[in-house]
Amino acid sequence: EPEVTQTPSHQVTQMGQEVILRCVPISNHLYFYWYRQILGQKVEFLVSFYNNEISEKSEIFDDQFSVERPDGSNFTLKIRSTKLEDSAMYFCASSPGTGSYEQYFGPGTRLTVT
Amino acid sequence: DQQVKQNSPSLSVQEGRISILNCDYTNSMFDYFLWYKKYPAEGPTFLISISSIKDKNEDGRFTVFLNKSAKHLSLHIVPSQPGDSAVYFCAASAGRYTGKLIFGQGTTLQVKP
């Protein structure tokens, strides 16, 4: 069964450093998302991506964040200058679109900012 | 942001019995609702969904009920199995307008053998 994959599973970085989180969505899906979950809190929407552009972003997704689909398979989330409060689980999700609203999530990347 | 609420942080049931997980929402624009199951150190796994034009959707042991007038939905698991022990998230989408999902806080279900 097709699944969303994410790398790395755990990333430790120092405050102020740039990180790139990588995702491979399900191959025939058209919509891509990033969510995050800070320990003990809800899963929060960050950004959605369709047709090679951002379709929606949350207040959390400020200028420090960017997304890219550099080729036909990868979908990346970049944080330019990490802060302590960026420490969280980051989940990538994809959806077939075209009337289907189910989103399928990857296993997540645990980001620890020290 | 309390648009989707799961008021019970935890639920414990005996194997073979029914598990009922509840979810309330406030935003009338929501037109699609989903339940996800999550194990520790894994991503949310899609379980079942329901459109606002329906009041019930069933898939095997899982049934979701939607009461639009009360802005309430519930997930029934019958019969419950120990492998069902996980965190269950309710999520909502205003699918006609946006793809983003708004999640509840989650309910931890423990099914005892």
PDB file of all heavy atoms in Angstrom, chain A residues 92-111:
ATOM      1  N   CYS A  92       4.178  15.470   7.361  1.00  0.00           N
ATOM      2  CA  CYS A  92       3.804  15.735   5.975  1.00  0.00           C
ATOM      3  C   CYS A  92       2.560  14.913   5.666  1.00  0.00           C
ATOM      4  O   CYS A  92       2.392  13.810   6.196  1.00  0.00           O
ATOM      5  CB  CYS A  92       4.958  15.307   5.067  1.00  0.00           C
ATOM      6  SG  CYS A  92       4.635  15.386   3.303  1.00  0.00           S
ATOM      7  N   ALA A  93       1.701  15.445   4.849  1.00  0.00           N
ATOM      8  CA  ALA A  93       0.498  14.705   4.440  1.00  0.00           C
ATOM      9  C   ALA A  93       0.225  14.974   2.973  1.00  0.00           C
ATOM     10  O   ALA A  93       0.634  16.012   2.424  1.00  0.00           O
ATOM     11  CB  ALA A  93      -0.706  15.118   5.289  1.00  0.00           C
ATOM     12  N   SER A  94      -0.468  14.041   2.346  1.00  0.00           N
ATOM     13  CA  SER A  94      -0.880  14.259   0.959  1.00  0.00           C
ATOM     14  C   SER A  94      -2.300  13.780   0.763  1.00  0.00           C
ATOM     15  O   SER A  94      -2.821  12.955   1.538  1.00  0.00           O
ATOM     16  CB  SER A  94       0.081  13.572  -0.021  1.00  0.00           C
ATOM     17  OG  SER A  94      -0.001  12.165   0.050  1.00  0.00           O
ATOM     18  N   SER A  95      -2.928  14.309  -0.245  1.00  0.00           N
ATOM     19  CA  SER A  95      -4.320  14.007  -0.532  1.00  0.00           C
ATOM     20  C   SER A  95      -4.505  13.899  -2.036  1.00  0.00           C
ATOM     21  O   SER A  95      -3.894  14.660  -2.783  1.00  0.00           O
ATOM     22  CB  SER A  95      -5.206  15.120   0.043  1.00  0.00           C
ATOM     23  OG  SER A  95      -6.542  14.969  -0.362  1.00  0.00           O
ATOM     24  N   PRO A  96      -5.372  12.962  -2.458  1.00  0.00           N
ATOM     25  CA  PRO A  96      -5.604  12.839  -3.902  1.00  0.00           C
ATOM     26  C   PRO A  96      -6.249  14.078  -4.512  1.00  0.00           C
ATOM     27  O   PRO A  96      -6.084  14.373  -5.682  1.00  0.00           O
ATOM     28  CB  PRO A  96      -6.561  11.649  -4.026  1.00  0.00           C
ATOM     29  CG  PRO A  96      -6.645  11.030  -2.708  1.00  0.00           C
ATOM     30  CD  PRO A  96      -6.145  11.994  -1.687  1.00  0.00           C
ATOM     31  N   GLY A  97      -7.016  14.827  -3.679  1.00  0.00           N
ATOM     32  CA  GLY A  97      -7.758  15.964  -4.211  1.00  0.00           C
ATOM     33  C   GLY A  97      -8.940  15.476  -5.008  1.00  0.00           C
ATOM     34  O   GLY A  97      -9.439  14.370  -4.813  1.00  0.00           O
ATOM     35  N   THR A  98      -9.414  16.261  -5.919  1.00  0.00           N
ATOM     36  CA  THR A  98     -10.542  15.943  -6.809  1.00  0.00           C
ATOM     37  C   THR A  98     -11.697  15.329  -6.047  1.00  0.00           C
ATOM     38  O   THR A  98     -12.144  14.212  -6.335  1.00  0.00           O
ATOM     39  CB  THR A  98     -10.112  15.016  -7.957  1.00  0.00           C
ATOM     40  OG1 THR A  98      -9.547  13.810  -7.403  1.00  0.00           O
ATOM     41  CG2 THR A  98      -9.114  15.700  -8.839  1.00  0.00           C
ATOM     42  N   GLY A  99     -12.167  16.044  -5.026  1.00  0.00           N
ATOM     43  CA  GLY A  99     -13.334  15.611  -4.273  1.00  0.00           C
ATOM     44  C   GLY A  99     -13.045  14.719  -3.100  1.00  0.00           C
ATOM     45  O   GLY A  99     -13.963  14.383  -2.359  1.00  0.00           O
ATOM     46  N   SER A 100     -11.791  14.328  -2.907  1.00  0.00           N
ATOM     47  CA  SER A 100     -11.457  13.492  -1.762  1.00  0.00           C
ATOM     48  C   SER A 100     -10.730  14.344  -0.734  1.00  0.00           C
ATOM     49  O   SER A 100      -9.730  14.980  -1.054  1.00  0.00           O
ATOM     50  CB  SER A 100     -10.564  12.334  -2.200  1.00  0.00           C
ATOM     51  OG  SER A 100     -10.066  11.641  -1.085  1.00  0.00           O
ATOM     52  N   TYR A 101     -11.239  14.363   0.481  1.00  0.00           N
ATOM     53  CA  TYR A 101     -10.652  15.220   1.505  1.00  0.00           C
ATOM     54  C   TYR A 101      -9.768  14.469   2.498  1.00  0.00           C
ATOM     55  O   TYR A 101      -9.194  15.076   3.382  1.00  0.00           O
ATOM     56  CB  TYR A 101     -11.763  15.943   2.262  1.00  0.00           C
ATOM     57  CG  TYR A 101     -12.632  16.782   1.347  1.00  0.00           C
ATOM     58  CD1 TYR A 101     -14.010  16.585   1.303  1.00  0.00           C
ATOM     59  CD2 TYR A 101     -12.088  17.761   0.544  1.00  0.00           C
ATOM     60  CE1 TYR A 101     -14.806  17.342   0.466  1.00  0.00           C
ATOM     61  CE2 TYR A 101     -12.877  18.521  -0.300  1.00  0.00           C
ATOM     62  CZ  TYR A 101     -14.241  18.311  -0.330  1.00  0.00           C
ATOM     63  OH  TYR A 101     -15.035  19.053  -1.157  1.00  0.00           O
ATOM     64  N   GLU A 102      -9.678  13.150   2.338  1.00  0.00           N
ATOM     65  CA  GLU A 102      -8.820  12.396   3.251  1.00  0.00           C
ATOM     66  C   GLU A 102      -7.360  12.760   2.999  1.00  0.00           C
ATOM     67  O   GLU A 102      -6.922  12.855   1.856  1.00  0.00           O
ATOM     68  CB  GLU A 102      -9.002  10.886   3.052  1.00  0.00           C
ATOM     69  CG  GLU A 102     -10.314  10.332   3.534  1.00  0.00           C
ATOM     70  CD  GLU A 102     -11.425  10.431   2.508  1.00  0.00           C
ATOM     71  OE1 GLU A 102     -11.129  10.732   1.337  1.00  0.00           O
ATOM     72  OE2 GLU A 102     -12.589  10.210   2.902  1.00  0.00           O
ATOM     73  N   GLN A 103      -6.649  12.959   4.090  1.00  0.00           N
ATOM     74  CA  GLN A 103      -5.216  13.228   4.007  1.00  0.00           C
ATOM     75  C   GLN A 103      -4.482  12.080   4.659  1.00  0.00           C
ATOM     76  O   GLN A 103      -4.890  11.581   5.704  1.00  0.00           O
ATOM     77  CB  GLN A 103      -4.875  14.562   4.697  1.00  0.00           C
ATOM     78  CG  GLN A 103      -5.490  15.753   3.983  1.00  0.00           C
ATOM     79  CD  GLN A 103      -5.193  17.064   4.660  1.00  0.00           C
ATOM     80  OE1 GLN A 103      -4.227  17.207   5.402  1.00  0.00           O
ATOM     81  NE2 GLN A 103      -6.025  18.055   4.380  1.00  0.00           N
ATOM     82  N   TYR A 104      -3.380  11.704   4.036  1.00  0.00           N
ATOM     83  CA  TYR A 104      -2.591  10.570   4.502  1.00  0.00           C
ATOM     84  C   TYR A 104      -1.251  11.097   4.990  1.00  0.00           C
ATOM     85  O   TYR A 104      -0.555  11.811   4.267  1.00  0.00           O
ATOM     86  CB  TYR A 104      -2.424   9.547   3.372  1.00  0.00           C
ATOM     87  CG  TYR A 104      -3.755   8.982   2.959  1.00  0.00           C
ATOM     88  CD1 TYR A 104      -4.539   9.624   2.006  1.00  0.00           C
ATOM     89  CD2 TYR A 104      -4.259   7.836   3.571  1.00  0.00           C
ATOM     90  CE1 TYR A 104      -5.783   9.124   1.666  1.00  0.00           C
ATOM     91  CE2 TYR A 104      -5.505   7.332   3.232  1.00  0.00           C
ATOM     92  CZ  TYR A 104      -6.264   7.994   2.274  1.00  0.00           C
ATOM     93  OH  TYR A 104      -7.505   7.507   1.945  1.00  0.00           O
ATOM     94  N   PHE A 105      -0.952  10.743   6.229  1.00  0.00           N
ATOM     95  CA  PHE A 105       0.188  11.330   6.920  1.00  0.00           C
ATOM     96  C   PHE A 105       1.412  10.424   6.884  1.00  0.00           C
ATOM     97  O   PHE A 105       1.304   9.198   6.914  1.00  0.00           O
ATOM     98  CB  PHE A 105      -0.176  11.601   8.382  1.00  0.00           C
ATOM     99  CG  PHE A 105      -1.061  12.811   8.566  1.00  0.00           C
ATOM    100  CD1 PHE A 105      -2.407  12.757   8.247  1.00  0.00           C
ATOM    101  CD2 PHE A 105      -0.537  14.004   9.055  1.00  0.00           C
ATOM    102  CE1 PHE A 105      -3.213  13.870   8.398  1.00  0.00           C
ATOM    103  CE2 PHE A 105      -1.343  15.116   9.220  1.00  0.00           C
ATOM    104  CZ  PHE A 105      -2.681  15.049   8.889  1.00  0.00           C
ATOM    105  N   GLY A 106       2.581  11.074   6.879  1.00  0.00           N
ATOM    106  CA  GLY A 106       3.824  10.362   7.065  1.00  0.00           C
ATOM    107  C   GLY A 106       4.096  10.106   8.537  1.00  0.00           C
ATOM    108  O   GLY A 106       3.332  10.563   9.401  1.00  0.00           O
ATOM    109  N   PRO A 107       5.197   9.419   8.840  1.00  0.00           N
ATOM    110  CA  PRO A 107       5.503   9.061  10.232  1.00  0.00           C
ATOM    111  C   PRO A 107       6.026  10.230  11.058  1.00  0.00           C
ATOM    112  O   PRO A 107       6.104  10.136  12.281  1.00  0.00           O
ATOM    113  CB  PRO A 107       6.579   7.982  10.085  1.00  0.00           C
ATOM    114  CG  PRO A 107       7.226   8.282   8.772  1.00  0.00           C
ATOM    115  CD  PRO A 107       6.150   8.843   7.889  1.00  0.00           C
ATOM    116  N   GLY A 108       6.407  11.319  10.393  1.00  0.00           N
ATOM    117  CA  GLY A 108       6.849  12.504  11.118  1.00  0.00           C
ATOM    118  C   GLY A 108       8.362  12.608  11.254  1.00  0.00           C
ATOM    119  O   GLY A 108       9.083  11.611  11.165  1.00  0.00           O
ATOM    120  N   THR A 109       8.812  13.840  11.433  1.00  0.00           N
ATOM    121  CA  THR A 109      10.206  14.127  11.791  1.00  0.00           C
ATOM    122  C   THR A 109      10.190  14.857  13.119  1.00  0.00           C
ATOM    123  O   THR A 109       9.513  15.882  13.257  1.00  0.00           O
ATOM    124  CB  THR A 109      10.897  15.024  10.742  1.00  0.00           C
ATOM    125  OG1 THR A 109      11.042  14.310   9.525  1.00  0.00           O
ATOM    126  CG2 THR A 109      12.269  15.484  11.244  1.00  0.00           C
ATOM    127  N   ARG A 110      10.908  14.294  14.077  1.00  0.00           N
ATOM    128  CA  ARG A 110      11.023  14.992  15.367  1.00  0.00           C
ATOM    129  C   ARG A 110      12.159  15.996  15.271  1.00  0.00           C
ATOM    130  O   ARG A 110      13.317  15.613  15.077  1.00  0.00           O
ATOM    131  CB  ARG A 110      11.286  14.004  16.503  1.00  0.00           C
ATOM    132  CG  ARG A 110      11.472  14.704  17.857  1.00  0.00           C
ATOM    133  CD  ARG A 110      11.477  13.727  19.013  1.00  0.00           C
ATOM    134  NE  ARG A 110      10.215  13.021  19.150  1.00  0.00           N
ATOM    135  CZ  ARG A 110       9.105  13.532  19.666  1.00  0.00           C
ATOM    136  NH1 ARG A 110       9.089  14.787  20.091  1.00  0.00           N
ATOM    137  NH2 ARG A 110       8.017  12.805  19.751  1.00  0.00           N
ATOM    138  N   LEU A 111      11.841  17.272  15.375  1.00  0.00           N
ATOM    139  CA  LEU A 111      12.840  18.330  15.335  1.00  0.00           C
ATOM    140  C   LEU A 111      13.112  18.809  16.752  1.00  0.00           C
ATOM    141  O   LEU A 111      12.187  19.212  17.458  1.00  0.00           O
ATOM    142  CB  LEU A 111      12.365  19.496  14.473  1.00  0.00           C
ATOM    143  CG  LEU A 111      13.312  20.703  14.418  1.00  0.00           C
ATOM    144  CD1 LEU A 111      14.630  20.335  13.750  1.00  0.00           C
ATOM    145  CD2 LEU A 111      12.654  21.873  13.693  1.00  0.00           C
TER     146      LEU A 111
END
